[in-house]
Structures are given as structure tokens and as C-alpha cells.
PDB file of all heavy atoms in Angstrom:
ATOM      1  N   ILE A   1       0.844  -1.192   0.000  1.00 89.00           N
ATOM      2  CA  ILE A   1       0.000   0.000   0.000  1.00 89.00           C
ATOM      3  C   ILE A   1       0.880   1.243   0.000  1.00 89.00           C
ATOM      4  O   ILE A   1       1.828   1.355   0.791  1.00 89.00           O
ATOM      5  CB  ILE A   1      -0.917   0.007   1.243  1.00 89.00           C
ATOM      6  CG1 ILE A   1      -1.811  -1.240   1.236  1.00 89.00           C
ATOM      7  CG2 ILE A   1      -1.750   1.276   1.298  1.00 89.00           C
ATOM      8  CD1 ILE A   1      -2.449  -1.519   2.569  1.00 89.00           C
ATOM      9  N   GLU A   2       0.563   2.173  -0.879  1.00 90.00           N
ATOM     10  CA  GLU A   2       1.268   3.449  -0.936  1.00 90.00           C
ATOM     11  C   GLU A   2       0.255   4.577  -0.744  1.00 90.00           C
ATOM     12  O   GLU A   2      -0.843   4.529  -1.304  1.00 90.00           O
ATOM     13  CB  GLU A   2       1.995   3.613  -2.271  1.00 90.00           C
ATOM     14  CG  GLU A   2       3.092   2.587  -2.499  1.00 90.00           C
ATOM     15  CD  GLU A   2       3.832   2.800  -3.810  1.00 90.00           C
ATOM     16  OE1 GLU A   2       3.438   3.721  -4.547  1.00 90.00           O
ATOM     17  OE2 GLU A   2       4.778   2.051  -4.089  1.00 90.00           O
ATOM     18  N   VAL A   3       0.637   5.589   0.038  1.00 93.00           N
ATOM     19  CA  VAL A   3      -0.279   6.682   0.368  1.00 93.00           C
ATOM     20  C   VAL A   3       0.416   8.014   0.091  1.00 93.00           C
ATOM     21  O   VAL A   3       1.592   8.197   0.434  1.00 93.00           O
ATOM     22  CB  VAL A   3      -0.708   6.619   1.852  1.00 93.00           C
ATOM     23  CG1 VAL A   3      -1.685   7.753   2.161  1.00 93.00           C
ATOM     24  CG2 VAL A   3      -1.334   5.277   2.176  1.00 93.00           C
ATOM     25  N   SER A   4      -0.314   8.936  -0.525  1.00 94.00           N
ATOM     26  CA  SER A   4       0.220  10.279  -0.773  1.00 94.00           C
ATOM     27  C   SER A   4      -0.859  11.312  -0.468  1.00 94.00           C
ATOM     28  O   SER A   4      -2.052  11.050  -0.632  1.00 94.00           O
ATOM     29  CB  SER A   4       0.686  10.421  -2.232  1.00 94.00           C
ATOM     30  OG  SER A   4      -0.392  10.235  -3.125  1.00 94.00           O
ATOM     31  N   ALA A   5      -0.432  12.476  -0.002  1.00 94.00           N
ATOM     32  CA  ALA A   5      -1.363  13.569   0.307  1.00 94.00           C
ATOM     33  C   ALA A   5      -0.616  14.889   0.192  1.00 94.00           C
ATOM     34  O   ALA A   5       0.600  14.959   0.456  1.00 94.00           O
ATOM     35  CB  ALA A   5      -1.952  13.406   1.710  1.00 94.00           C
ATOM     36  N   ASP A   6      -1.324  15.929  -0.213  1.00 94.00           N
ATOM     37  CA  ASP A   6      -0.721  17.253  -0.344  1.00 94.00           C
ATOM     38  C   ASP A   6      -0.163  17.718   1.001  1.00 94.00           C
ATOM     39  O   ASP A   6      -0.841  17.641   2.029  1.00 94.00           O
ATOM     40  CB  ASP A   6      -1.752  18.266  -0.848  1.00 94.00           C
ATOM     41  CG  ASP A   6      -2.151  18.012  -2.295  1.00 94.00           C
ATOM     42  OD1 ASP A   6      -1.393  17.316  -2.995  1.00 94.00           O
ATOM     43  OD2 ASP A   6      -3.222  18.500  -2.710  1.00 94.00           O
ATOM     44  N   GLY A   7       1.072  18.205   0.980  1.00 94.00           N
ATOM     45  CA  GLY A   7       1.686  18.732   2.187  1.00 94.00           C
ATOM     46  C   GLY A   7       2.363  17.690   3.056  1.00 94.00           C
ATOM     47  O   GLY A   7       2.830  18.008   4.150  1.00 94.00           O
ATOM     48  N   TYR A   8       2.423  16.434   2.557  1.00 95.00           N
ATOM     49  CA  TYR A   8       3.028  15.360   3.347  1.00 95.00           C
ATOM     50  C   TYR A   8       3.989  14.541   2.483  1.00 95.00           C
ATOM     51  O   TYR A   8       3.832  14.458   1.268  1.00 95.00           O
ATOM     52  CB  TYR A   8       1.952  14.416   3.899  1.00 95.00           C
ATOM     53  CG  TYR A   8       1.044  15.034   4.935  1.00 95.00           C
ATOM     54  CD1 TYR A   8      -0.107  15.723   4.559  1.00 95.00           C
ATOM     55  CD2 TYR A   8       1.334  14.923   6.295  1.00 95.00           C
ATOM     56  CE1 TYR A   8      -0.946  16.282   5.507  1.00 95.00           C
ATOM     57  CE2 TYR A   8       0.496  15.486   7.255  1.00 95.00           C
ATOM     58  CZ  TYR A   8      -0.640  16.159   6.859  1.00 95.00           C
ATOM     59  OH  TYR A   8      -1.465  16.716   7.794  1.00 95.00           O
ATOM     60  N   TYR A   9       4.958  13.941   3.157  1.00 94.00           N
ATOM     61  CA  TYR A   9       5.790  12.960   2.479  1.00 94.00           C
ATOM     62  C   TYR A   9       4.982  11.672   2.300  1.00 94.00           C
ATOM     63  O   TYR A   9       4.107  11.365   3.100  1.00 94.00           O
ATOM     64  CB  TYR A   9       7.058  12.671   3.285  1.00 94.00           C
ATOM     65  CG  TYR A   9       7.991  13.852   3.418  1.00 94.00           C
ATOM     66  CD1 TYR A   9       8.158  14.508   4.634  1.00 94.00           C
ATOM     67  CD2 TYR A   9       8.713  14.311   2.318  1.00 94.00           C
ATOM     68  CE1 TYR A   9       9.016  15.597   4.749  1.00 94.00           C
ATOM     69  CE2 TYR A   9       9.578  15.397   2.423  1.00 94.00           C
ATOM     70  CZ  TYR A   9       9.721  16.041   3.641  1.00 94.00           C
ATOM     71  OH  TYR A   9      10.566  17.124   3.743  1.00 94.00           O
ATOM     72  N   ASP A  10       5.277  10.921   1.229  1.00 93.00           N
ATOM     73  CA  ASP A  10       4.551   9.677   0.965  1.00 93.00           C
ATOM     74  C   ASP A  10       4.810   8.658   2.065  1.00 93.00           C
ATOM     75  O   ASP A  10       5.869   8.648   2.700  1.00 93.00           O
ATOM     76  CB  ASP A  10       4.972   9.088  -0.383  1.00 93.00           C
ATOM     77  CG  ASP A  10       4.535   9.952  -1.553  1.00 93.00           C
ATOM     78  OD1 ASP A  10       3.719  10.857  -1.348  1.00 93.00           O
ATOM     79  OD2 ASP A  10       5.019   9.700  -2.682  1.00 93.00           O
ATOM     80  N   GLY A  11       3.815   7.779   2.265  1.00 91.00           N
ATOM     81  CA  GLY A  11       3.944   6.712   3.243  1.00 91.00           C
ATOM     82  C   GLY A  11       3.563   5.383   2.625  1.00 91.00           C
ATOM     83  O   GLY A  11       3.009   5.329   1.517  1.00 91.00           O
ATOM     84  N   ASN A  12       3.861   4.289   3.313  1.00 90.00           N
ATOM     85  CA  ASN A  12       3.527   2.975   2.776  1.00 90.00           C
ATOM     86  C   ASN A  12       3.282   1.982   3.906  1.00 90.00           C
ATOM     87  O   ASN A  12       3.625   2.229   5.067  1.00 90.00           O
ATOM     88  CB  ASN A  12       4.636   2.466   1.848  1.00 90.00           C
ATOM     89  CG  ASN A  12       5.986   2.413   2.526  1.00 90.00           C
ATOM     90  OD1 ASN A  12       6.240   1.562   3.365  1.00 90.00           O
ATOM     91  ND2 ASN A  12       6.863   3.364   2.184  1.00 90.00           N
ATOM     92  N   ALA A  13       2.673   0.853   3.534  1.00 88.00           N
ATOM     93  CA  ALA A  13       2.392  -0.206   4.499  1.00 88.00           C
ATOM     94  C   ALA A  13       2.179  -1.495   3.725  1.00 88.00           C
ATOM     95  O   ALA A  13       2.105  -1.492   2.485  1.00 88.00           O
ATOM     96  CB  ALA A  13       1.162   0.134   5.331  1.00 88.00           C
ATOM     97  N   THR A  14       2.101  -2.607   4.425  1.00 85.00           N
ATOM     98  CA  THR A  14       1.795  -3.898   3.813  1.00 85.00           C
ATOM     99  C   THR A  14       0.635  -4.539   4.554  1.00 85.00           C
ATOM    100  O   THR A  14       0.390  -4.248   5.738  1.00 85.00           O
ATOM    101  CB  THR A  14       3.007  -4.843   3.848  1.00 85.00           C
ATOM    102  OG1 THR A  14       3.402  -5.056   5.215  1.00 85.00           O
ATOM    103  CG2 THR A  14       4.174  -4.260   3.077  1.00 85.00           C
ATOM    104  N   ALA A  15      -0.087  -5.414   3.857  1.00 82.00           N
ATOM    105  CA  ALA A  15      -1.216  -6.097   4.476  1.00 82.00           C
ATOM    106  C   ALA A  15      -1.422  -7.442   3.794  1.00 82.00           C
ATOM    107  O   ALA A  15      -1.350  -7.540   2.566  1.00 82.00           O
ATOM    108  CB  ALA A  15      -2.486  -5.244   4.365  1.00 82.00           C
ATOM    109  N   ASP A  16      -1.656  -8.463   4.600  1.00 82.00           N
ATOM    110  CA  ASP A  16      -1.932  -9.806   4.088  1.00 82.00           C
ATOM    111  C   ASP A  16      -3.356 -10.180   4.481  1.00 82.00           C
ATOM    112  O   ASP A  16      -3.673 -10.277   5.668  1.00 82.00           O
ATOM    113  CB  ASP A  16      -0.933 -10.812   4.667  1.00 82.00           C
ATOM    114  CG  ASP A  16      -0.945 -12.121   3.899  1.00 82.00           C
ATOM    115  OD1 ASP A  16      -1.985 -12.421   3.286  1.00 82.00           O
ATOM    116  OD2 ASP A  16       0.066 -12.835   3.916  1.00 82.00           O
ATOM    117  N   LEU A  17      -4.212 -10.363   3.484  1.00 77.00           N
ATOM    118  CA  LEU A  17      -5.625 -10.620   3.740  1.00 77.00           C
ATOM    119  C   LEU A  17      -5.964 -12.110   3.793  1.00 77.00           C
ATOM    120  O   LEU A  17      -7.128 -12.481   3.851  1.00 77.00           O
ATOM    121  CB  LEU A  17      -6.489  -9.944   2.670  1.00 77.00           C
ATOM    122  CG  LEU A  17      -6.897  -8.496   2.946  1.00 77.00           C
ATOM    123  CD1 LEU A  17      -5.674  -7.601   3.021  1.00 77.00           C
ATOM    124  CD2 LEU A  17      -7.852  -7.984   1.893  1.00 77.00           C
ATOM    125  N   GLU A  18      -4.955 -12.973   3.795  1.00 76.00           N
ATOM    126  CA  GLU A  18      -5.226 -14.412   3.786  1.00 76.00           C
ATOM    127  C   GLU A  18      -5.980 -14.867   5.033  1.00 76.00           C
ATOM    128  O   GLU A  18      -6.764 -15.811   4.975  1.00 76.00           O
ATOM    129  CB  GLU A  18      -3.910 -15.183   3.664  1.00 76.00           C
ATOM    130  CG  GLU A  18      -3.343 -15.217   2.268  1.00 76.00           C
ATOM    131  CD  GLU A  18      -2.190 -16.212   2.161  1.00 76.00           C
ATOM    132  OE1 GLU A  18      -1.052 -15.848   2.457  1.00 76.00           O
ATOM    133  OE2 GLU A  18      -2.464 -17.349   1.764  1.00 76.00           O
ATOM    134  N   GLU A  19      -5.739 -14.197   6.150  1.00 77.00           N
ATOM    135  CA  GLU A  19      -6.358 -14.633   7.399  1.00 77.00           C
ATOM    136  C   GLU A  19      -7.633 -13.860   7.718  1.00 77.00           C
ATOM    137  O   GLU A  19      -8.184 -13.996   8.807  1.00 77.00           O
ATOM    138  CB  GLU A  19      -5.346 -14.482   8.541  1.00 77.00           C
ATOM    139  CG  GLU A  19      -4.112 -15.359   8.359  1.00 77.00           C
ATOM    140  CD  GLU A  19      -3.142 -15.220   9.513  1.00 77.00           C
ATOM    141  OE1 GLU A  19      -3.442 -14.442  10.434  1.00 77.00           O
ATOM    142  OE2 GLU A  19      -2.110 -15.896   9.496  1.00 77.00           O
ATOM    143  N   GLY A  20      -8.112 -13.043   6.794  1.00 83.00           N
ATOM    144  CA  GLY A  20      -9.361 -12.326   7.019  1.00 83.00           C
ATOM    145  C   GLY A  20      -9.210 -10.834   6.798  1.00 83.00           C
ATOM    146  O   GLY A  20      -8.222 -10.356   6.233  1.00 83.00           O
ATOM    147  N   ASP A  21     -10.228 -10.074   7.269  1.00 89.00           N
ATOM    148  CA  ASP A  21     -10.213  -8.624   7.118  1.00 89.00           C
ATOM    149  C   ASP A  21      -8.983  -8.031   7.802  1.00 89.00           C
ATOM    150  O   ASP A  21      -8.475  -8.556   8.798  1.00 89.00           O
ATOM    151  CB  ASP A  21     -11.475  -8.010   7.730  1.00 89.00           C
ATOM    152  CG  ASP A  21     -12.735  -8.476   7.020  1.00 89.00           C
ATOM    153  OD1 ASP A  21     -12.620  -9.023   5.904  1.00 89.00           O
ATOM    154  OD2 ASP A  21     -13.838  -8.313   7.589  1.00 89.00           O
ATOM    155  N   LYS A  22      -8.523  -6.907   7.264  1.00 88.00           N
ATOM    156  CA  LYS A  22      -7.296  -6.293   7.773  1.00 88.00           C
ATOM    157  C   LYS A  22      -7.459  -4.783   7.865  1.00 88.00           C
ATOM    158  O   LYS A  22      -8.034  -4.154   6.972  1.00 88.00           O
ATOM    159  CB  LYS A  22      -6.127  -6.627   6.836  1.00 88.00           C
ATOM    160  CG  LYS A  22      -4.757  -6.249   7.376  1.00 88.00           C
ATOM    161  CD  LYS A  22      -4.275  -7.255   8.381  1.00 88.00           C
ATOM    162  CE  LYS A  22      -2.835  -6.971   8.790  1.00 88.00           C
ATOM    163  NZ  LYS A  22      -2.356  -7.952   9.798  1.00 88.00           N
ATOM    164  N   SER A  23      -6.955  -4.210   8.976  1.00 91.00           N
ATOM    165  CA  SER A  23      -6.932  -2.763   9.145  1.00 91.00           C
ATOM    166  C   SER A  23      -5.491  -2.314   9.355  1.00 91.00           C
ATOM    167  O   SER A  23      -4.759  -2.924  10.143  1.00 91.00           O
ATOM    168  CB  SER A  23      -7.778  -2.335  10.349  1.00 91.00           C
ATOM    169  OG  SER A  23      -9.143  -2.649  10.146  1.00 91.00           O
ATOM    170  N   VAL A  24      -5.092  -1.283   8.641  1.00 91.00           N
ATOM    171  CA  VAL A  24      -3.743  -0.733   8.797  1.00 91.00           C
ATOM    172  C   VAL A  24      -3.839   0.773   8.949  1.00 91.00           C
ATOM    173  O   VAL A  24      -4.746   1.414   8.407  1.00 91.00           O
ATOM    174  CB  VAL A  24      -2.838  -1.083   7.602  1.00 91.00           C
ATOM    175  CG1 VAL A  24      -2.620  -2.581   7.502  1.00 91.00           C
ATOM    176  CG2 VAL A  24      -3.405  -0.540   6.301  1.00 91.00           C
ATOM    177  N   THR A  25      -2.910   1.342   9.704  1.00 94.00           N
ATOM    178  CA  THR A  25      -2.830   2.794   9.877  1.00 94.00           C
ATOM    179  C   THR A  25      -1.513   3.287   9.288  1.00 94.00           C
ATOM    180  O   THR A  25      -0.456   2.724   9.577  1.00 94.00           O
ATOM    181  CB  THR A  25      -2.912   3.184  11.362  1.00 94.00           C
ATOM    182  OG1 THR A  25      -4.172   2.756  11.890  1.00 94.00           O
ATOM    183  CG2 THR A  25      -2.786   4.692  11.528  1.00 94.00           C
ATOM    184  N   VAL A  26      -1.607   4.320   8.460  1.00 94.00           N
ATOM    185  CA  VAL A  26      -0.421   4.899   7.835  1.00 94.00           C
ATOM    186  C   VAL A  26      -0.257   6.324   8.356  1.00 94.00           C
ATOM    187  O   VAL A  26      -1.167   7.146   8.213  1.00 94.00           O
ATOM    188  CB  VAL A  26      -0.531   4.904   6.297  1.00 94.00           C
ATOM    189  CG1 VAL A  26       0.734   5.503   5.678  1.00 94.00           C
ATOM    190  CG2 VAL A  26      -0.761   3.495   5.770  1.00 94.00           C
ATOM    191  N   GLU A  27       0.882   6.607   8.979  1.00 94.00           N
ATOM    192  CA  GLU A  27       1.176   7.941   9.488  1.00 94.00           C
ATOM    193  C   GLU A  27       2.030   8.691   8.477  1.00 94.00           C
ATOM    194  O   GLU A  27       3.096   8.213   8.084  1.00 94.00           O
ATOM    195  CB  GLU A  27       1.904   7.853  10.840  1.00 94.00           C
ATOM    196  CG  GLU A  27       1.081   7.178  11.929  1.00 94.00           C
ATOM    197  CD  GLU A  27       1.830   7.104  13.242  1.00 94.00           C
ATOM    198  OE1 GLU A  27       3.069   7.300  13.229  1.00 94.00           O
ATOM    199  OE2 GLU A  27       1.198   6.870  14.280  1.00 94.00           O
ATOM    200  N   LEU A  28       1.565   9.866   8.062  1.00 94.00           N
ATOM    201  CA  LEU A  28       2.306  10.671   7.100  1.00 94.00           C
ATOM    202  C   LEU A  28       3.018  11.824   7.811  1.00 94.00           C
ATOM    203  O   LEU A  28       2.430  12.513   8.651  1.00 94.00           O
ATOM    204  CB  LEU A  28       1.374  11.226   6.023  1.00 94.00           C
ATOM    205  CG  LEU A  28       0.648  10.215   5.132  1.00 94.00           C
ATOM    206  CD1 LEU A  28      -0.106  10.951   4.030  1.00 94.00           C
ATOM    207  CD2 LEU A  28       1.626   9.214   4.528  1.00 94.00           C
ATOM    208  N   GLN A  29       4.265  12.022   7.437  1.00 93.00           N
ATOM    209  CA  GLN A  29       5.069  13.103   8.017  1.00 93.00           C
ATOM    210  C   GLN A  29       4.858  14.393   7.238  1.00 93.00           C
ATOM    211  O   GLN A  29       5.006  14.407   6.019  1.00 93.00           O
ATOM    212  CB  GLN A  29       6.543  12.718   8.005  1.00 93.00           C
ATOM    213  CG  GLN A  29       7.468  13.792   8.565  1.00 93.00           C
ATOM    214  CD  GLN A  29       8.930  13.405   8.444  1.00 93.00           C
ATOM    215  OE1 GLN A  29       9.244  12.319   7.992  1.00 93.00           O
ATOM    216  NE2 GLN A  29       9.812  14.308   8.825  1.00 93.00           N
ATOM    217  N   PRO A  30       4.499  15.486   7.923  1.00 94.00           N
ATOM    218  CA  PRO A  30       4.323  16.770   7.210  1.00 94.00           C
ATOM    219  C   PRO A  30       5.623  17.210   6.552  1.00 94.00           C
ATOM    220  O   PRO A  30       6.710  16.999   7.096  1.00 94.00           O
ATOM    221  CB  PRO A  30       3.905  17.737   8.327  1.00 94.00           C
ATOM    222  CG  PRO A  30       3.404  16.863   9.435  1.00 94.00           C
ATOM    223  CD  PRO A  30       4.201  15.600   9.359  1.00 94.00           C
ATOM    224  N   GLU A  31       5.495  17.810   5.372  1.00 92.00           N
ATOM    225  CA  GLU A  31       6.686  18.332   4.697  1.00 92.00           C
ATOM    226  C   GLU A  31       7.201  19.548   5.452  1.00 92.00           C
ATOM    227  O   GLU A  31       6.427  20.404   5.878  1.00 92.00           O
ATOM    228  CB  GLU A  31       6.341  18.714   3.253  1.00 92.00           C
ATOM    229  CG  GLU A  31       5.988  17.528   2.367  1.00 92.00           C
ATOM    230  CD  GLU A  31       5.653  17.953   0.953  1.00 92.00           C
ATOM    231  OE1 GLU A  31       5.422  19.164   0.756  1.00 92.00           O
ATOM    232  OE2 GLU A  31       5.596  17.085   0.072  1.00 92.00           O
ATOM    233  N   SER A  32       8.530  19.647   5.636  1.00 83.00           N
ATOM    234  CA  SER A  32       9.121  20.793   6.317  1.00 83.00           C
ATOM    235  C   SER A  32       9.196  21.961   5.352  1.00 83.00           C
ATOM    236  O   SER A  32       9.468  21.786   4.163  1.00 83.00           O
ATOM    237  CB  SER A  32      10.524  20.445   6.828  1.00 83.00           C
ATOM    238  OG  SER A  32      11.358  20.073   5.744  1.00 83.00           O
ATOM    239  N   ASP A  33       8.963  23.182   5.888  1.00 68.00           N
ATOM    240  CA  ASP A  33       9.005  24.388   5.054  1.00 68.00           C
ATOM    241  C   ASP A  33      10.395  24.993   5.151  1.00 68.00           C
ATOM    242  O   ASP A  33      10.652  25.912   5.924  1.00 68.00           O
ATOM    243  CB  ASP A  33       7.942  25.381   5.526  1.00 68.00           C
ATOM    244  CG  ASP A  33       7.640  26.422   4.462  1.00 68.00           C
ATOM    245  OD1 ASP A  33       8.477  26.585   3.564  1.00 68.00           O
ATOM    246  OD2 ASP A  33       6.581  27.066   4.536  1.00 68.00           O
ATOM    247  N   ASP A  34      11.350  24.462   4.380  1.00 60.00           N
ATOM    248  CA  ASP A  34      12.746  24.923   4.442  1.00 60.00           C
ATOM    249  C   ASP A  34      12.879  26.382   4.060  1.00 60.00           C
ATOM    250  O   ASP A  34      13.735  27.093   4.562  1.00 60.00           O
ATOM    251  CB  ASP A  34      13.634  24.072   3.524  1.00 60.00           C
ATOM    252  CG  ASP A  34      13.695  22.629   4.002  1.00 60.00           C
ATOM    253  OD1 ASP A  34      13.484  22.426   5.210  1.00 60.00           O
ATOM    254  OD2 ASP A  34      13.923  21.739   3.166  1.00 60.00           O
ATOM    255  N   GLY A  35      11.996  26.838   3.162  1.00 50.00           N
ATOM    256  CA  GLY A  35      12.089  28.226   2.706  1.00 50.00           C
ATOM    257  C   GLY A  35      11.892  29.204   3.835  1.00 50.00           C
ATOM    258  O   GLY A  35      12.631  30.168   4.008  1.00 50.00           O
ATOM    259  N   ASP A  36      10.881  28.939   4.710  1.00 51.00           N
ATOM    260  CA  ASP A  36      10.617  29.831   5.826  1.00 51.00           C
ATOM    261  C   ASP A  36      11.769  29.817   6.813  1.00 51.00           C
ATOM    262  O   ASP A  36      12.140  30.830   7.392  1.00 51.00           O
ATOM    263  CB  ASP A  36       9.326  29.410   6.539  1.00 51.00           C
ATOM    264  CG  ASP A  36       8.099  29.718   5.689  1.00 51.00           C
ATOM    265  OD1 ASP A  36       8.243  30.468   4.712  1.00 51.00           O
ATOM    266  OD2 ASP A  36       7.002  29.200   6.009  1.00 51.00           O
ATOM    267  N   ASP A  37      12.355  28.604   7.012  1.00 50.00           N
ATOM    268  CA  ASP A  37      13.480  28.519   7.940  1.00 50.00           C
ATOM    269  C   ASP A  37      14.650  29.362   7.455  1.00 50.00           C
ATOM    270  O   ASP A  37      15.308  30.047   8.236  1.00 50.00           O
ATOM    271  CB  ASP A  37      13.925  27.058   8.088  1.00 50.00           C
ATOM    272  CG  ASP A  37      12.855  26.228   8.794  1.00 50.00           C
ATOM    273  OD1 ASP A  37      11.986  26.842   9.443  1.00 50.00           O
ATOM    274  OD2 ASP A  37      12.897  24.987   8.684  1.00 50.00           O
ATOM    275  N   GLU A  38      14.923  29.311   6.132  1.00 50.00           N
ATOM    276  CA  GLU A  38      16.029  30.082   5.583  1.00 50.00           C
ATOM    277  C   GLU A  38      15.775  31.576   5.732  1.00 50.00           C
ATOM    278  O   GLU A  38      16.663  32.350   6.076  1.00 50.00           O
ATOM    279  CB  GLU A  38      16.235  29.720   4.112  1.00 50.00           C
ATOM    280  CG  GLU A  38      16.760  28.310   3.921  1.00 50.00           C
ATOM    281  CD  GLU A  38      16.876  27.954   2.454  1.00 50.00           C
ATOM    282  OE1 GLU A  38      16.538  28.840   1.630  1.00 50.00           O
ATOM    283  OE2 GLU A  38      17.291  26.836   2.134  1.00 50.00           O
ATOM    284  N   GLU A  39      14.507  31.990   5.470  1.00 52.00           N
ATOM    285  CA  GLU A  39      14.174  33.399   5.604  1.00 52.00           C
ATOM    286  C   GLU A  39      14.370  33.851   7.045  1.00 52.00           C
ATOM    287  O   GLU A  39      14.862  34.933   7.330  1.00 52.00           O
ATOM    288  CB  GLU A  39      12.733  33.638   5.158  1.00 52.00           C
ATOM    289  CG  GLU A  39      12.538  33.496   3.654  1.00 52.00           C
ATOM    290  CD  GLU A  39      11.085  33.716   3.259  1.00 52.00           C
ATOM    291  OE1 GLU A  39      10.290  34.081   4.157  1.00 52.00           O
ATOM    292  OE2 GLU A  39      10.756  33.540   2.084  1.00 52.00           O
ATOM    293  N   SER A  40      13.962  32.971   7.980  1.00 50.00           N
ATOM    294  CA  SER A  40      14.096  33.314   9.396  1.00 50.00           C
ATOM    295  C   SER A  40      15.559  33.473   9.767  1.00 50.00           C
ATOM    296  O   SER A  40      15.947  34.395  10.481  1.00 50.00           O
ATOM    297  CB  SER A  40      13.449  32.215  10.253  1.00 50.00           C
ATOM    298  OG  SER A  40      13.635  32.468  11.615  1.00 50.00           O
ATOM    299  N   ASP A  41      16.407  32.547   9.244  1.00 54.00           N
ATOM    300  CA  ASP A  41      17.838  32.638   9.528  1.00 54.00           C
ATOM    301  C   ASP A  41      18.430  33.931   8.983  1.00 54.00           C
ATOM    302  O   ASP A  41      19.248  34.589   9.635  1.00 54.00           O
ATOM    303  CB  ASP A  41      18.579  31.438   8.922  1.00 54.00           C
ATOM    304  CG  ASP A  41      18.199  30.135   9.619  1.00 54.00           C
ATOM    305  OD1 ASP A  41      17.674  30.220  10.746  1.00 54.00           O
ATOM    306  OD2 ASP A  41      18.426  29.066   9.014  1.00 54.00           O
ATOM    307  N   GLU A  42      18.003  34.309   7.745  1.00 55.00           N
ATOM    308  CA  GLU A  42      18.509  35.535   7.147  1.00 55.00           C
ATOM    309  C   GLU A  42      18.094  36.752   7.957  1.00 55.00           C
ATOM    310  O   GLU A  42      18.856  37.692   8.153  1.00 55.00           O
ATOM    311  CB  GLU A  42      18.004  35.644   5.705  1.00 55.00           C
ATOM    312  CG  GLU A  42      18.622  34.603   4.766  1.00 55.00           C
ATOM    313  CD  GLU A  42      18.018  34.694   3.378  1.00 55.00           C
ATOM    314  OE1 GLU A  42      17.133  35.563   3.191  1.00 55.00           O
ATOM    315  OE2 GLU A  42      18.423  33.919   2.504  1.00 55.00           O
ATOM    316  N   THR A  43      16.848  36.714   8.454  1.00 53.00           N
ATOM    317  CA  THR A  43      16.349  37.835   9.252  1.00 53.00           C
ATOM    318  C   THR A  43      17.143  37.971  10.539  1.00 53.00           C
ATOM    319  O   THR A  43      17.537  39.068  10.946  1.00 53.00           O
ATOM    320  CB  THR A  43      14.857  37.625   9.574  1.00 53.00           C
ATOM    321  OG1 THR A  43      14.132  37.516   8.359  1.00 53.00           O
ATOM    322  CG2 THR A  43      14.315  38.784  10.395  1.00 53.00           C
ATOM    323  N   ASP A  44      17.394  36.827  11.199  1.00 56.00           N
ATOM    324  CA  ASP A  44      18.161  36.862  12.440  1.00 56.00           C
ATOM    325  C   ASP A  44      19.556  37.409  12.187  1.00 56.00           C
ATOM    326  O   ASP A  44      20.085  38.200  12.967  1.00 56.00           O
ATOM    327  CB  ASP A  44      18.259  35.450  13.031  1.00 56.00           C
ATOM    328  CG  ASP A  44      16.900  34.948  13.503  1.00 56.00           C
ATOM    329  OD1 ASP A  44      16.005  35.788  13.672  1.00 56.00           O
ATOM    330  OD2 ASP A  44      16.745  33.709  13.680  1.00 56.00           O
ATOM    331  N   SER A  45      20.167  36.980  11.071  1.00 53.00           N
ATOM    332  CA  SER A  45      21.512  37.446  10.730  1.00 53.00           C
ATOM    333  C   SER A  45      21.533  38.955  10.498  1.00 53.00           C
ATOM    334  O   SER A  45      22.430  39.662  10.911  1.00 53.00           O
ATOM    335  CB  SER A  45      22.012  36.698   9.496  1.00 53.00           C
ATOM    336  OG  SER A  45      23.262  37.187   9.085  1.00 53.00           O
TER     337      SER A  45
END
């Protein structure tokens, strides 16, 4: 299983349905806003 969403890094999981119904949870990591961090560093400097 592959999962994608706007503003997040892609995530994945696996599932084997041979033994019956299956539930999986996929946690997506938010994308970091490097641009804002750089601007903040420049401002501090």
C-alpha cells in the first residue's frame, strides 16, 4: 500500500488478507518548510 497527500511525504504499508479482514494505519510526516526557515535565519543574521 502506498499513500500520498498534499503537504506530506509519501507513506507505505503492507497487508496480508489471507487470514481475514485487515486494518492498517499509515502515518504521514508533514513536509518541512525549508524556505521559511532560511528566511528566518537571514532575518536573524
Side-chain angles (χ1 to χ4, degrees):
I1 300 164
E2 296 182 357
V3 181
S4 61
D6 291 341
Y8 293 87
Y9 295 109
D10 293 347
N12 57 73
T14 59
D16 195 335
L17 272 63
E18 282 191 274
E19 297 181 0
D21 297 345
K22 190 79 173 179
S23 296
V24 296
T25 298
V26 181
E27 298 180 344
L28 298 186
Q29 179 184 357
E31 293 180 345
S32 60
D33 198 341
D34 295 335
D36 289 346
D37 293 342
E38 291 177 0
E39 289 179 6
S40 176
D41 293 341
E42 291 176 0
T43 301
D44 293 343
S45 176

